[in-house]
């Protein structure tokens, strides 16, 4: 082949030489230029293409040798020889490359089979590595990276790396490769210098934490979560290097695995049985997992301390950033508003929250406390402690504190005294929420817990599901618990944390059936097996626990299965001691050693991370859809308001209450504007109406029966003194208090302008409560008694005007009494003959008897006009016999009763006639003349009564305007303040479709605005 190529080449050269010989001078220059452009390119013998793991860096390219071939017209044999050698070298290189590539591929496959499968160790890498792109803006980060000179310091030494690959090439092409692999010392030379790598990472950490990246990276709080401790990471790589390069023989997994490829080690390894191999590999794997778990826990603890310091610096204002609510706090506020919102317009609450359900005493509260890292809930031995749902909002903060939604007090969870106070407060709130006769309540208690390292989420602890009711429980306790649990679990976006007691038989579980009904596909359920330490001791077959964790025993399905230990059953254990006990148990547990449980399925730490991750995924997937639903609801409510109340402003219940409050206070102030004259007229008139009967019946009539003026005055003085000491002051105060109430009610019910009846119920309730609270000053009666005594003791009428006023007062009083008496007699005797004839009315038999009795008594009075007020027994007998003679049977009691009214009428008519005679008697009274025909002592009595009424009214008016009206105004303000704080009162007193529509519209707007703010903050966090 080479000879044929040489002959062809020589022939070609000879032809070209012959042609050039014909015109050697014409084309010589052009021929040289043409041949000078012919370049034979080949790589340098020593050029090596360097391999680099940094795929973005440009690779070094070898320099090419340019060969210039000048035209040779002579010595054609030298050119052919050179071509033959070049062709021979090319084929040699091509064959070597093909053979070497095949050998390298085969060697790589053998090495790949010898290395163990490290995919199961993926859990060692922290989650933050996979989530870096979600939290870091790499566009801004690329601009903030250091210069190329500084970055070059981080790159490995490619010259040494090339030497390592050259050495590897020597091993692959050597004869030793067919016998055995290189020893561990040579293998160690291939590994990079992990100590220098750790220093490089430390330098990188310094750049990442510099001020240049303040705009590219997230906040310090989020950055602290993402950055591990790179110094400790360098030590970990050094430890990994030592683990790979340490040991000899069959002590390490790599050595045992490598020996499978060599005949010499095969014979020694085959001595062990398959069971020993499996046990050895499982033990080594467990030890490796525990070792790296401890490393990760140490790194997490350091990062936790770092985050705490950063959060404390933020609280002190070092970074001078505006304080804003955290994302989880904003979300919790939306849930609080939704819990108070009554979904009357088919807008249900589908926002995610973690619902903790389980059988009673299954360990729900203990799991929640481990996640919150504090013993915050009351505890009882076998007793139902969770009597109402408790919503716990977990978030990260510099201090470990807890706070109720409706309280400003912070409980320091690092102090045992505050923990005890918090547990007592939760228990008190639970008992208050339970209505009379009930055991559990659907009313939610809202609590927030903050602390360093706490996963952000919202959990709701529900009462434990029971199968049997005990004594003292309400009959509907079981059904109420089921209804509360279903109400929370039927939310399609709620994450169900199903707690199952591992120490009891699985067949006794109630909650698993309930969960399987609410989430049959298990798309939002996380199963937690508690008390695994007791289960491992008591369960005869450990495979049963494995079946539970794998989801093969219970009919329910779940996203994940976890096994936890929440203490030894001692309520005084601290969270740290429980964590240590849990870690110690799983390190020595045969369940983990035998592979029945996986490392990521144990401990409450892994549980809280998984629940938080699932919670936020559900929030991001559903919150925008819920916001759109409330947006549509808001549009519908606004349209309904415009159609029904186009001219009214949208006032919710609180705004309506404030409006009514201002109106009521204005009306109370109007009491101070009542004139003194109006007060006194009302008081005097009302007081006389109240005491006139007593004055006529008990003072005037008995005194009028006396024979002379001295006895009359004496009787009047005695009776007036007794009346003033016992009854009159009290009656006067009652009259004043009733007058104040009437005036207050008149102002409250008086319509001013356009009346809005929506406030009527509230105003009536405020009026009644204010009157109930108001008490008249007790000292007023004592001072009033003295004033009334002095007024009644005065008998001197100074002028004719007062005398005429007294006569007029007496005349009006007597005429009023006479009319009342005649009305009573008319009712007793029935209609007279005119009414019977013209109105066709008839008397009843009793009225006929009374009419005949009245006529007989009138005849008696006509015979003796000075007859005393009482009938004698013989007079009663005479009247009865006279009536019987006319065929009228009558009872003596009826005769006396009729006589009382007949005599009263006779007396009042006589008194009125005497009153007319006394109009001219002032002259005699002023000069103290004694005339039996003009003894006007009754006029003096009525003047004394009238004067007492005027003085009493004036005194009461002063007390009203000076103190009582102000005290009433104060009471009204207190009542309004109490009603303002009592939402139940406002709901009962301000009712109606208009109020409810405005209230729903306000709540929907607030929910939508807070959801939009939360969604905006959620997008910013991404």
């Amino acid at each position: 082949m080479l000879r044929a190529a040489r002959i062809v080449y020589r022939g070609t050269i000879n032809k070209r030489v012959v042609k050039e010989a014909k015109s050697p001078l014409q084309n010589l220059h052009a021929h040289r230029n043409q041949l000078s452009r012919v370049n034979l390119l080949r790589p340098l013998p020593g050029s090596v293409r360097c391999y680099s793991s940094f795929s973005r860096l440009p690779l070094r390219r070898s320099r090419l040798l340019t060969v210039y071939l000048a035209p040779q017209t002579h010595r054609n044999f030298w050119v052919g020889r050179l071509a033959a050698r070049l062709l021979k070298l090319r084929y040699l290189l091509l064959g070597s490359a093909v053979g070497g590539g095949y050998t390298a591929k085969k060697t790589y496959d053998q090495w790949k089979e010898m290395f163990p499968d490290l995919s199961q160790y993926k859990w060692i890498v922290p989650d933050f590595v996979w989530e870096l792109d979600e939290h870091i803006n790499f566009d801004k980060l690329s601009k903030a990276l250091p210069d190329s000179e500084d970055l070059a310091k981080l790159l490995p030494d490619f010259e040494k790396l090339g030497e390592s690959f050259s050495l590897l090439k020597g091993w692959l092409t050597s004869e030793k490769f067919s016998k055995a692999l290189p020893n561990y010392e040579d293998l160690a030379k291939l590994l990079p210098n992990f100590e220098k790598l750790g220093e490089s990472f430390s330098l990188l950490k310094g750049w990442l934490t510099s001020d240049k990246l303040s705009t590219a990276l997230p906040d310090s709080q989020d950055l602290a979560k993402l950055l591990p401790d790179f110094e400790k990471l360098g030590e970990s790589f050094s430890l990994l290097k030592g683990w790979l390069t340490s040991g000899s023989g069959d002590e390490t997994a790599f050595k045992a695995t490598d020996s499978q490829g060599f005949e010499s080690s095969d014979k020694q390894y085959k001595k062990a049985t398959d069971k020993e191999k499996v046990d050895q590999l499982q033990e080594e794997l467990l030890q490796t997992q525990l070792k790296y778990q401890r490393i990760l826990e140490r790194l997490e603890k350091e990062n936790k301390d770092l985050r705490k310091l950063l959060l404390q610096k933020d609280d002190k204002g070092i970074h001078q950033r505006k304080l804003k609510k955290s994302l989880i706090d904003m979300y919790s506020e939306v849930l609080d508003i939704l819990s108070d919102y009554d979904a009357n317009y088919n807008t249900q609450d589908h926002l995610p929250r973690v619902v903790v359900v389980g059988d009673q005493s299954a360990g729900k509260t203990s799991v929640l406390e481990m996640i919150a890292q504090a013993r915050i809930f009351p505890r009882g031995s076998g007793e139902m402690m969770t009597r109402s749902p408790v919503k716990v909002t977990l978030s990260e903060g510099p201090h470990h504190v807890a706070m109720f939604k409706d309280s400003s007090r912070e409980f320091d969870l690092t102090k045992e005294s505050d923990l005890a106070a918090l547990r007592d407060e939760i228990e008190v709130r639970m008992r208050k929420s339970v209505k009379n006769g009930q055991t559990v309540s659907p009313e939610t208690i809202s609590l927030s817990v903050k602390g360093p390292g706490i996963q952000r989420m919202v959990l709701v602890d529900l009462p434990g599901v029971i199968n049997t009711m005990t004594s003292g429980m309400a009959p509907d306790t079981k059904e109420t618990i089921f209804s509360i649990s279903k109400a929370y679990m039927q939310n399609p976006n709620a994450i169900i944390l199903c707690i199952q007691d591992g120490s009891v038989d699985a067949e006794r579980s109630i909650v698993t059936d309930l969960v399987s009904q609410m989430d049959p596909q298990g798309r939002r359920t996380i199963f937690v097996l508690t008390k695994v330490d007791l289960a491992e001791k008591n369960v005869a077959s450990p495979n049963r626990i494995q079946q539970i964790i794998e989801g093969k025993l219970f009919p329910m399905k779940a996203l994940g299965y976890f096994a936890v230990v929440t203490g030894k059953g001692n309520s005084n254990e601290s969270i740290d001691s429980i964590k240590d006990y849990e870690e110690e148990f799983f390190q020595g547990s045969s369940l983990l050693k035998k592979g029945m449980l996986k490392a990521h399925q144990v401990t409450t730490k892994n549980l809280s991370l998984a629940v938080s991750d699932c919670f936020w995924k559900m929030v991001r997937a559903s919150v925008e859809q819920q916001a759109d639903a409330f947006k549509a609801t808001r549009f519908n409510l606004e349209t309904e308001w415009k159609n029904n109340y186009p001219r009214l402003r949208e006032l919710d219940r609180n705004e309506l209450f404030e409006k009514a409050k201002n109106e009521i206070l204005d009306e109370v102030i109007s009491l101070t504007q009542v004139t003194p004259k109006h007060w006194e007229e009302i008081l005097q008139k009302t007081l006389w109406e109240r005491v006139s009967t007593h004055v006529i019946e008990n003072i005037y009539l008995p005194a009028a029966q006396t024979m002379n003026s001295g006895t009359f005055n004496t009787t009047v003085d005695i009776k007036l003194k007794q009346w003033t000491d016992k009854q009159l002051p009290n009656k006067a105060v009652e009259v004043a208090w009733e007058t104040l109430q009437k005036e207050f009610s008149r102002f409250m019910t008086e319509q001013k302008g356009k009346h809005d009846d929506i406030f009527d119920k509230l105003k009536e309730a405020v009026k009644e409560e204010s009157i109930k609270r108001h008490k008249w000053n007790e000292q007023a009666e004592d001072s009033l008694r003295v004033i009334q005594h002095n007024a009644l003791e005065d008998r001197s009428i100074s002028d004719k005007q007062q005398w005429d006023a007294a006569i007029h007062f007496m005349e009006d009083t007597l005429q009023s009494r006479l009319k009342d008496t005649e009305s009573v007699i008319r009712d007793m005797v029935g209609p007279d003959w005119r009414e019977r004839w013209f109105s066709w009315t008839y008397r009843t038999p009793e009225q006929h008897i009374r009419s005949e009795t009245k006529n007989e008594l009138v005849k008696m009075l006509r015979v003796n006009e000075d007859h005393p007020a009482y009938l004698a027994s013989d007079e009663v007998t005479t009247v009865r016999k006279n009536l019987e003679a006319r065929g009228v049977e009558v009872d003596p009691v009826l005769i006396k009763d009729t006589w009382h009214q007949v005599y009263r009428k006779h007396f009042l008519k006589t008194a009125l006639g005497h009153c007319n005679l006394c109009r001219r008697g002032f002259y005699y009274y002023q000069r103290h003349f004694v005339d039996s025909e003009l003894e006007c002592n009754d006029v003096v009595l009525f003047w004394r009564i009238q004067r007492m009424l005027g003085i009493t009214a004036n005194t009461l008016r002063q007390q009203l305007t000076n103190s009582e009206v102000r005290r009433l105004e104060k009471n009204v303000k207190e009542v309004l303040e109490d009603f303002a704080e009592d939402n139940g009162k406002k709901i009962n007193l301000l009712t109606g479709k208009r109020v409810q529509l405005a209230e729903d519209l306000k709540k929907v707007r607030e929910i939508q605005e807070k959801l939009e703010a939360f969604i905006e903050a959620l997008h910013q966090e991404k």
Side-chain angles (χ1 to χ4, degrees):
M1 180 178 179
L2 292 175
R3 292 181 64 186
R6 187 180 303 173
I7 293 171
V8 172
Y9 185 80
R10 286 179 179 180
T12 304
I13 295 298
N14 291 333
K15 291 180 180 180
R16 296 179 65 180
V17 169
V18 172
K19 292 181 179 180
E20 292 172 359
K22 295 180 180 180
S23 56
L25 297 176
Q26 293 177 0
N27 299 326
L28 180 61
H29 182 71
H31 183 67
R32 289 181 178 178
N33 292 338
Q34 182 179 2
L35 291 178
S36 64
R37 297 189 187 99
V38 179
N39 299 327
L40 298 178
L41 304 178
R42 66 182 180 88
L44 290 174
S47 64
V48 179
R49 185 177 182 181
C50 299
Y51 174 78
S52 175
S53 60
F54 297 89
S55 60
R56 295 185 179 180
L57 296 177
L59 300 179
R60 299 179 182 178
R61 301 184 63 182
S62 303
R63 295 182 180 180
L64 301 178
L65 180 62
T66 305
V67 180
Y68 297 95
L69 296 177
Q72 299 291 336
T73 58
H74 303 286
R75 298 182 181 181
N76 295 333
F77 64 93
W78 186 86
V79 175
R81 194 181 303 114
L82 178 62
R85 291 179 181 177
L86 288 175
L87 291 173
K88 181 178 180 181
L89 180 61
R90 182 179 63 185
Y91 287 114
L92 289 175
L93 290 176
L94 181 61
S96 300
V98 173
Y102 175 75
T103 305
K105 182 178 182 305
K106 186 176 181 181
T107 305
Y108 170 74
D109 294 338
Q110 291 178 354
W111 272 65
K112 185 176 180 181
E113 293 176 358
M114 287 188 292
F115 276 98
D117 186 10
L118 299 179
S119 62
Q120 298 181 357
Y121 296 90
K122 189 176 179 180
W123 61 270
I124 297 177
V125 181
D127 293 338
F128 70 87
V129 176
W130 315 111
E131 299 178 355
L132 283 175
D133 58 341
E134 298 180 3
H135 299 278
I136 298 179
N137 191 336
F138 285 98
D139 295 335
K140 295 183 179 179
L141 183 62
S142 61
K143 299 178 182 179
L145 286 175
D147 300 335
S148 59
E149 297 179 358
D150 297 332
L151 187 63
K153 298 178 182 179
L154 298 175
L155 300 177
D157 193 346
F158 289 104
E159 296 181 359
K160 294 184 179 181
L161 195 62
E163 295 177 1
S164 300
F165 279 107
S166 300
L167 182 60
L168 178 62
K169 178 181 178 182
W171 287 334
L172 294 175
T173 57
S174 64
E175 297 178 356
K176 296 181 181 180
F177 180 75
S178 60
K179 297 181 181 179
L181 289 171
N183 54 23
Y184 68 92
E185 295 180 355
D186 296 333
L187 183 62
K189 296 179 181 180
L190 297 177
L191 298 175
N193 191 338
F194 290 102
E195 296 179 358
K196 292 184 178 180
L197 188 60
E199 296 176 359
S200 301
F201 277 118
S202 300
L203 181 59
L204 179 61
K205 178 180 178 182
W207 287 331
L208 293 176
T209 56
S210 63
D211 296 334
K212 296 180 180 180
L213 302 181
S214 60
T215 58
L217 290 177
D219 296 340
S220 58
Q221 181 177 355
D222 298 331
L223 184 60
K225 299 177 182 177
L226 299 176
L227 294 178
D229 193 338
F230 292 101
E231 296 179 359
K232 299 294 183 180
L233 193 60
E235 297 177 3
S236 302
F237 278 118
S238 300
L239 182 62
L240 178 62
K241 176 180 177 182
W243 176 62
L244 292 173
T245 58
S246 64
S248 60
D250 294 335
E251 294 180 357
T252 63
F254 271 110
K255 196 65 178 179
T257 309
D258 294 341
S259 63
Q260 296 178 5
F262 310 104
E263 297 178 359
S264 59
S265 300
D266 240 358
K267 297 178 181 179
Q268 185 177 0
Y269 192 74
K270 287 180 180 178
K271 296 180 181 179
T273 62
D274 293 339
K275 183 177 181 181
E276 293 177 351
K277 293 178 184 178
V278 173
D279 294 341
Q280 184 180 6
L281 290 175
Q282 286 182 352
E283 184 67 25
E284 291 177 356
L285 178 61
L286 181 61
Q287 293 297 330
T288 305
Q289 289 177 347
L290 294 176
K291 178 173 63 177
Y292 282 101
Q293 184 70 23
R294 286 193 292 268
I295 294 174
L296 289 175
E297 288 178 356
R298 184 173 69 250
L299 294 175
E300 288 176 357
K301 184 177 181 181
E302 293 176 356
N303 290 333
K304 179 179 177 181
D305 296 338
L306 178 60
R307 288 197 299 269
K308 183 177 180 180
L309 292 175
L310 291 174
L311 292 173
Q312 288 176 348
K313 290 180 181 179
D314 289 342
D315 281 352
K316 295 178 181 178
I318 293 179
H319 299 287
Q320 295 181 355
R321 294 185 303 183
K322 292 183 179 180
L323 295 176
K324 60 180 182 180
K325 293 182 180 179
S326 64
L327 198 62
I328 191 64
D329 290 337
M330 297 171 64
Y331 186 75
S332 180
E333 286 184 359
V334 176
L335 295 182
D336 290 336
I337 299 173
L338 282 173
S339 64
D340 300 333
Y341 174 65
D342 186 13
N344 292 328
Y345 295 89
N346 298 323
T347 304
Q348 299 180 359
D349 175 14
H350 289 167
L351 288 177
R353 69 261 284 164
V354 181
V355 180
V356 186
V357 296
D359 298 334
Q360 184 178 352
S361 302
K364 299 186 291 73
T365 302
S366 299
V367 171
L368 197 57
E369 287 180 337
M370 292 294 292
I371 296 176
Q373 301 181 13
R375 307 299 293 269
I376 58 178
F377 291 103
R379 318 187 71 80
S381 179
E383 181 184 358
M384 178 183 290
M385 299 305 298
T386 306
R387 297 180 177 271
S388 63
V390 181
K391 182 177 76 69
V392 183
T393 303
L394 301 178
S395 60
E396 193 171 20
H399 306 290
H400 203 184
V401 295
M403 181 186 299
F404 289 99
K405 179 189 73 172
D406 54 355
S407 175
S408 60
R409 178 185 177 184
E410 281 191 352
F411 296 88
D412 189 353
L413 301 184
T414 59
K415 298 180 180 179
E416 189 60 35
S417 59
D418 282 19
L419 277 172
L422 177 61
R423 290 192 289 266
D424 294 340
E425 180 66 20
I426 293 177
E427 185 173 3
V428 169
R429 287 174 178 257
M430 284 185 180
R431 295 189 181 278
K432 285 183 178 179
S433 66
V434 177
K435 306 300 181 183
N436 295 332
Q438 299 296 318
T439 306
V440 293
S441 169
E443 184 177 343
T444 304
I445 299 174
S446 296
L447 177 70
S448 64
V449 177
K450 296 183 179 181
I454 296 180
Q455 299 298 321
R456 303 178 302 169
M457 67 185 90
V458 177
L459 302 101
V460 181
D461 186 21
L462 299 180
V465 179
I466 61 174
N467 189 22
T468 304
M469 292 184 297
T470 59
S471 61
M473 288 187 178
D476 60 343
T477 300
K478 181 178 177 181
E479 290 75 13
T480 304
I481 294 176
F482 269 90
S483 64
I484 294 174
S485 301
K486 288 182 180 180
Y488 278 91
M489 288 191 293
Q490 69 183 2
N491 179 0
N493 297 321
I495 301 168
I496 304 174
L497 195 63
C498 180
I499 309 298
Q500 173 63 33
D501 189 352
S503 63
V504 300
D505 296 335
E507 291 75 12
R508 297 169 56 185
S509 175
I510 309 172
V511 70
T512 52
D513 294 336
L514 180 62
V515 172
S516 63
Q517 294 175 8
M518 306 307 297
D519 185 24
Q521 302 299 326
R523 297 176 180 175
R524 51 188 180 92
T525 301
I526 297 178
F527 183 86
V528 182
L529 186 67
T530 61
K531 305 178 184 179
V532 183
D533 52 342
L534 300 178
E536 187 179 21
K537 296 177 183 178
N538 301 334
V539 177
S541 176
N543 294 329
R544 194 171 179 84
I545 299 178
Q546 184 179 5
Q547 291 178 353
I548 296 175
I549 295 301
E550 292 178 354
K552 298 179 180 179
L553 188 61
F554 290 109
M556 58 171 289
K557 298 179 182 180
L559 285 173
Y561 296 84
F562 290 87
V564 298
V565 175
T566 56
K568 301 178 182 179
N570 184 6
S571 60
N572 296 325
E573 289 180 288
S574 63
I575 296 296
D576 293 335
S577 63
I578 295 176
K579 286 183 179 179
D580 295 340
Y581 173 70
E582 184 182 39
E583 180 181 358
E584 180 182 355
F585 166 76
F586 283 115
Q587 286 180 359
S589 174
S590 60
L591 299 174
L592 203 61
K593 292 181 179 179
K594 294 180 180 179
M596 297 181 182
L597 297 178
K598 297 181 181 180
H600 68 275
Q601 289 182 313
V602 298
T603 71
T604 51
K605 176 73 174 178
N606 292 333
L607 172 64
S608 62
L609 290 172
V611 173
S612 177
D613 182 65
C614 184
F615 170 76
W616 284 108
K617 287 181 180 178
M618 191 71 76
V619 168
R620 290 186 174 92
S622 61
V623 67
E624 293 187 358
Q625 181 181 1
Q626 191 72 8
D628 293 338
F630 277 101
K631 186 177 182 180
T633 304
R634 174 180 176 178
F635 176 78
N636 295 336
L637 293 176
E638 289 177 346
T639 304
E640 184 177 357
W641 181 274
K642 291 178 181 178
N643 294 333
N644 295 329
Y645 312 103
R647 298 183 179 181
L648 294 179
R649 194 163 62 93
E650 302 165 3
L651 298 178
D652 59 10
R653 186 170 281 110
N654 291 331
E655 292 172 338
L656 288 172
F657 181 83
E658 289 298 323
K659 183 178 179 181
K661 177 182 176 181
N662 295 331
E663 291 184 5
I664 293 172
L665 291 177
D666 292 341
E667 291 162 357
V668 174
I669 294 175
S670 300
L671 283 175
T672 59
Q673 300 176 359
V674 178
T675 61
K677 181 180 179 181
H678 180 73
W679 278 121
E680 292 183 9
E681 288 178 354
I682 296 176
L683 288 170
Q684 186 171 350
K685 179 181 178 181
T686 308
L687 181 59
W688 175 240
E689 290 176 354
R690 185 67 57 86
V691 300
S692 60
T693 302
H694 180 81
V695 171
I696 299 298
E697 300 293 335
N698 299 326
I699 298 177
Y700 179 51
L701 284 178
Q705 303 302 318
T706 59
M707 300 303 295
N708 51 52
S709 61
T711 308
F712 178 88
N713 292 330
T714 303
T715 304
V716 167
D717 291 341
I718 294 173
K719 289 188 177 295
L720 287 177
K721 181 72 168 55
Q722 294 174 353
W723 181 45
T724 306
D725 291 339
K726 296 180 180 180
Q727 299 179 8
L728 183 57
N730 188 18
K731 290 288 184 181
V733 171
E734 290 180 359
V735 167
W737 177 218
E738 291 177 3
T739 303
L740 180 60
Q741 294 181 33
K742 289 180 181 179
E743 289 297 307
F744 180 49
S745 300
R746 181 174 66 85
F747 281 108
M748 292 284 286
T749 57
E750 187 178 11
Q751 297 183 6
K752 298 178 181 179
K754 189 175 181 180
H755 178 66
D756 194 351
D757 57 355
I758 200 171
F759 300 137
D760 293 345
K761 196 173 180 181
L762 175 61
K763 290 182 178 180
E764 185 66 23
V766 172
K767 183 190 72 173
E768 292 178 357
E769 184 65 23
S770 302
I771 291 173
K772 185 187 300 182
R773 296 186 183 184
H774 185 79
K775 292 183 179 180
W776 201 274
N777 189 3
E778 296 180 355
Q779 298 178 356
E781 291 188 12
D782 298 333
S783 60
L784 189 60
R785 182 178 291 109
V786 175
I787 295 172
Q788 290 172 343
H789 267 299
N790 295 332
L792 291 173
E793 288 179 355
D794 188 7
R795 300 179 185 176
S796 58
I797 303 176
S798 59
D799 54 13
K800 183 68 166 61
Q801 185 178 1
Q802 294 181 3
W803 181 271
D804 293 338
I807 290 176
H808 180 71
F809 174 62
M810 178 180 174
E811 191 175 28
D812 291 342
T813 303
L814 295 177
Q815 286 179 353
S816 174
R817 290 292 166 178
L818 181 59
K819 290 180 181 179
D820 295 339
T821 303
E822 289 177 347
S823 176
V824 173
I825 293 173
R826 188 180 301 109
D827 294 336
M828 291 173 60
V829 301
D832 57 5
W833 65 271
R834 293 185 184 87
E835 293 178 358
R836 291 198 301 270
W837 277 95
F838 294 104
S839 301
W840 294 87
T841 57
Y842 301 93
R843 291 175 177 174
T844 63
E846 183 180 357
Q847 289 177 344
H848 177 71
I849 295 172
R850 285 188 178 273
S851 177
E852 294 295 334
T853 305
K854 186 201 80 163
N855 295 332
E856 190 69 25
L857 294 173
V858 169
K859 292 177 182 179
M860 184 183 298
L861 282 175
R862 289 175 181 174
V863 174
N864 184 12
E865 293 184 357
D866 296 331
H867 196 285
Y870 302 99
L871 281 176
S873 299
D874 55 348
E875 293 176 333
V876 173
T877 304
T878 301
V879 172
R880 182 170 62 82
K881 288 181 178 181
N882 292 336
L883 292 174
E884 289 177 356
R886 294 200 300 266
V888 179
E889 296 290 335
V890 64
D891 187 62
V893 177
L894 186 144
I895 296 173
K896 292 181 180 180
D897 187 23
T898 308
W899 166 258
H900 178 71
Q901 299 299 330
V902 171
Y903 180 80
R904 176 190 291 273
K905 181 179 178 181
H906 171 72
F907 172 79
L908 292 175
K909 287 183 176 181
T910 304
L912 281 173
H914 183 68
C915 180
N916 291 327
L917 292 175
C918 288
R919 291 182 183 276
R920 55 185 177 84
F922 177 72
Y923 176 79
Y924 297 97
Y925 167 79
Q926 192 175 22
R927 289 165 176 74
H928 303 287
F929 291 164
V930 179
D931 188 352
S932 59
E933 294 182 1
L934 291 176
E935 290 182 358
C936 298
N937 295 317
D938 48 359
V939 176
V940 176
L941 170 62
F942 278 93
W943 177 82
R944 293 167 69 182
I945 298 295
Q946 187 183 29
R947 185 169 180 272
M948 181 273 299
L949 291 174
I951 294 175
T952 302
N954 182 267
T955 305
L956 293 175
R957 188 267 305 169
Q958 293 180 4
Q959 188 174 358
L960 281 172
T961 56
N962 293 336
S963 62
E964 299 303 328
V965 172
R966 295 179 182 177
R967 291 176 60 234
L968 179 62
E969 181 181 355
K970 182 180 178 182
N971 291 336
V972 171
K973 291 181 179 179
E974 292 177 355
V975 171
L976 289 173
E977 291 177 358
D978 294 342
F979 283 7
E981 296 176 358
D982 191 348
N983 290 327
K985 283 280 188 183
K986 290 190 287 187
I987 292 174
N988 294 330
L989 298 176
L990 293 173
T991 58
K993 180 181 178 181
R994 168 183 154 196
V995 180
Q996 190 62 42
L997 183 59
E999 193 73 14
D1000 291 337
L1001 188 55
K1002 173 194 173 185
K1003 286 290 181 66
V1004 170
R1005 282 175 178 168
E1006 186 178 7
I1007 292 170
Q1008 183 195 359
E1009 292 172 358
K1010 288 188 177 294
L1011 275 176
E1012 291 177 352
F1014 170 75
I1015 292 172
E1016 183 180 357
L1018 188 65
H1019 290 329
Q1020 291 177 358
E1021 190 182 61
K1022 290 182 180 180

